[in-house]
Amino acid sequence: MILHSSTKSGRIAEFFACGVIEELGWQTSLCQQDGVDLIAFNQNEFIRVQVKGSRIRKEPNKNTGLQFMCGIGGNKRMPNSQDFDIACMVSIDHRKCWFIHVCDVQRKTIRRPKSFFENADLEFESWERSLDIFRENRSNEKY
């Protein structure tokens, strides 16, 4: 395994997330801004996606799972719908994505065992669930 800096791992995760979202029938555009890494769009829908990449920890006597840092800003506050719509957690070692709507981000740091990413339907199911929440929240907004 080649060791990458966190910046390089982040870029790998962003490109991989774009590919997965494209495979799910959407188009993507990288737009690295504070809090948003890419925009996913399909017809008249536009979704702001924040990508978080992680590798399996392989240190002796440590948890061998994955850890995703979701805090926002210098003081690491919890994200909200003003920041992004969907977070894409990328297991670089599994080459797999897990999507979660921002309202489901309940911790600044999210941990998952490596077995979590072995679910063959994880990408499709989590994307569809996140889209359902996004659409429901959008329909409840008052303009």
Side-chain angles (χ1 to χ4, degrees), residues 63-82:
N63 181 342
T64 59
L66 295 105
Q67 178 174 297
F68 301 94
M69 307 304 285
C70 297
I72 302 288
N75 62 354
K76 299 301 181 206
R77 66 175 172 77
M78 290 292 294
N80 61 50
S81 62
Q82 300 300 310

Side-chain angles (χ1 to χ4, degrees), residues 10-11 14-15 18 29-39 49-51:
R11 288 181 41 81
E14 289 167 6
F15 286 120
C18 284
S29 180
L30 286 170
C31 62
Q32 296 99 338
Q33 303 295 315
D34 287 342
V36 176
D37 293 312
L38 65 94
I39 301 291
V49 180
Q50 174 64 34
V51 178

